[in-house]
Amino acid sequence: MPLSIPNLDDRSFEQIVQEAIARIPVHTPEWTNHNESDPGITLLQLFAFMTESLLYRSNQIPERNRKKFLALLGLGVQPAQTARGFVQFSNTRGPLAPITLPAGLELYAGNVPFRTQNALAVQPLEARIFYKSRLPDERIAEVDAIYAPLFESFLEPGVELTYYETKEIEPPTSEAVIPAIDIAADTVGEAIWIALLARDADQVETTRAVIANSTLTVAVLPALDATARTLHPARTEGSGQPHAALRFEIPNVPTDGLLPPDPALRIAQYRELDAVSSTDLLAEPGIVQLTLPEASALRLWANLEPSEQGTGDFPPAIDDTETAERIITWLRVRVADDTIPEGGHVQARISWLGINSVPVVQYARIVGEILGVGTGEPDQSVQLSQTPVLPDSLVLTVGGEQWMLIDDLLAAGPEVSSGPVSLLSDYAENETTPPPVNVFTLDPESGLVQFGTGLNGRRPPRGARIQATYDYGGGRQGVVGIGAITKGALLPAGVKVSNPLPTWGGDDPETVDEAERRIPAFLRHQDRLVTADDFRDITERTPGVDIGRVDVLPLFHPDTPTTPSAGVVTVMVIPKYDPLYPDAPRPNKLFLDTVCAHLNPRRLVTTEVHVRGPLYKRIWVSVGIDVVAGRDMAPVHDAVRQAIRTFLSPLVGGFEETGWPRNTPVDVSTLLAVAARVDGVQSVNDMHIGLETGGTLTSISMEGLELPHLIGVSVASGSARPLDTIRGTTPPTGDGEPPRLLPVPVIPDSC
């Protein structure tokens, strides 16, 4: 028998009014005018309206009760997620000296507060990022006739000239398009160059003396177009896989600044800077703190010939004389050879670098909030005034003594010991440290702080002041665009701030309704990743990202798709929106990092989890139709295009409209049926489908993580157009080992 929710009172407004009017003759017989124009009837209607509202609320389960039920299940409402990003400071008009800014500096994007995560010495410098861009093949023959005779003296046996243009890496200007540079594939010399410049009004030598022996902070954002992340099984200490790291170097110039006259010895040498990195800069965003050397080491070569500028390992040639005269020194950024796994290849793709930059998180801080005084009673609770609370930030004191946050008060010890410790709990047989006593629990979403009963956790003593310092924040309000963070009340004079990148990761808190809907799934998996359904349910509720689709592939390894792999699970995720590829959304690096951070603490330690985006097959479709007589052809053609595009969509495609199913081939017969169902189509004459290369196919297979990506679709009246006429050509790619090359700068076509 199903449980029914009781209805305490189901009377309507009209019923309450009529019942009140019926009582009038009993209590006030002299009241005989019961028309709506009577003031007394108007009052009765007002009271009936108020009564109906009270009855409605009485029939609802109060929000507080619903949250309590969730708490009893151990299923709290998921709190808001804080947005993160980078800010860059510039000392444009301040004193010619490093300006130290503390960690936790409050900044604002409008009214939204952010705080820096690291202290920073803002150097009185400017910086521009360059790289040596390989010259296109079509220009090589043109410039070789001009430059080869000029650099003939540089050639040695086994050395060839390679021509490049100096290009600058500009900060992103659009949230949707953040370009990336592959240090190995896109640059000549496999390096990115940071030119440290003196300010317009400052002298180069004076600035060198000021910044000598100080710390320069550089922020690095790796490429966001990664499509895969892997969570390896837990390893013992020291058994982790090696990974590559970035190396930062400056020119190692002789003391007198002069290169030797012998041409064989006129080569660029570099010294590595001491670097302290917050993370693996090739895997996730972070900062590196570089210790600059003494002033005598912050210099350039003084006797470089014009023909030597930019050749070999020398920094890239700068055509802008004004910029070149302000260069204090160069920083060369490259992948450290000794950190590359033997026989492996490292993808070192960088989207942005910036000096004087630190990470920020969106939150505000409350200092010394008085929550009340202790009552000495069990289960005392106090309420924080601002929510949602960042749990790790809460510092709570009772009577001036700091207490500790704990997950469960049942794990706390008693405030008064009675008898031998071995009689108190079983911990004495195996543990040497008794359980904590001065503890409390916190509900981050509601801000409720709960103390113990005396048997489990200490009660706040009567009259003891309870005081808290904590951070609160989070939500989508923290996801702001480029250049939104521009204010700070405590910024020193002459120092400006801005965010060169959009912030990411902010998400609103979960509602009670959403928490209630996941109760059945939570009771099944207990927030642990065991079955395929567990992976799907938990991945779909990853905070901070909008997930449009999740497919779970047990025993599937992306590198060996045809062989079952024990202990391996692949999770294919597709974002709900992608401004660059709306028809074929791809997860970027930040998206995958967020999903991995959510899954990692919930997986079994022996499980290897691969989080991947789909592998799209680029498909072309051409269809010929006849339109019903009397109908306009253009709208019908558009409707056929949209129907085919929607049917092949990874999010809403397929017959069930849940996304094109994996391992399902794209057949001509299926697409014929889709086109024939469009209103206004009299008949479908023929259809061609194919990939970017090759002829027409009747079926295109989809295996593993492969999904279709419709690149182009042509609809014509009569016969279908040949695919070769609508898809164009793909430039060939060459293979083979590159020769030993000598970089040579050339004058660009345009400045």
Side-chain angles (χ1 to χ4, degrees), residues 305-538:
E305 299 293 337
S307 60
E308 292 178 306
Q309 297 284 349
T311 60
D313 288 334
F314 287 107
I318 304 298
D319 296 325
D320 185 356
T321 305
E322 181 181 352
T323 299
E325 291 177 349
R326 292 196 294 131
I327 296 178
I328 298 172
T329 190
W330 288 89
L331 294 181
R332 184 171 71 168
V333 185
R334 63 188 184 93
V335 179
D337 297 333
D338 55 358
T339 62
I340 300 178
E342 184 177 355
H345 172 72
V346 174
Q347 187 180 40
R349 291 172 55 81
I350 302 297
S351 285
W352 174 80
L353 297 94
I355 68 168
N356 293 336
S357 300
V358 290
V360 292
V361 176
Q362 190 272 304
Y363 66 87
R365 176 162 296 166
I366 299 295
V367 178
E369 180 180 351
I370 304 299
L371 305 180
V373 295
T375 63
E377 299 178 355
D379 292 322
Q380 182 179 353
S381 61
V382 292
Q383 181 72 46
L384 300 174
S385 63
Q386 303 295 331
T387 57
V389 181
L390 306 183
D392 294 339
S393 68
L394 178 58
V395 177
L396 186 139
T397 59
V398 179
E401 181 182 4
Q402 183 174 336
W403 287 30
M404 183 177 67
L405 176 66
I406 195 172
D407 292 332
D408 189 354
L409 287 172
L410 293 178
E415 65 180 23
V416 177
S417 175
S418 57
V421 175
S422 60
L423 299 179
L424 295 177
S425 61
D426 295 334
Y427 79 86
E429 299 179 3
N430 302 312
E431 302 288 344
T432 58
T433 304
V437 177
N438 294 346
V439 295
F440 63 92
T441 60
L442 168 68
D443 181 355
E445 179 59 28
S446 66
L448 185 67
V449 175
Q450 187 79 36
F451 297 100
T453 62
L455 293 177
N456 296 102
R458 185 182 176 189
R459 299 165 295 173
R462 179 182 294 274
R465 174 184 290 186
I466 304 174
Q467 195 168 0
T469 296
Y470 60 94
D471 300 330
Y472 71 94
R476 294 186 181 273
Q477 64 173 352
V479 181
V480 298
I482 296 174
I485 305 175
T486 57
K487 298 184 296 183
L490 300 180
L491 283 179
V495 175
K496 296 182 178 180
V497 65
S498 182
N499 58 310
L501 303 166
T503 57
W504 65 87
D507 199 6
D508 291 330
E510 186 180 39
T511 65
V512 175
D513 290 338
E514 291 170 341
E516 288 176 343
R517 282 196 294 270
R518 62 182 174 91
I519 287 176
F522 178 82
L523 294 177
R524 182 180 69 251
H525 57 63
Q526 294 294 312
D527 210 28
R528 301 300 296 171
L529 296 168
V530 180
T531 68
D533 289 339
D534 300 343
F535 275 89
R536 184 177 299 104
D537 293 338
I538 293 177

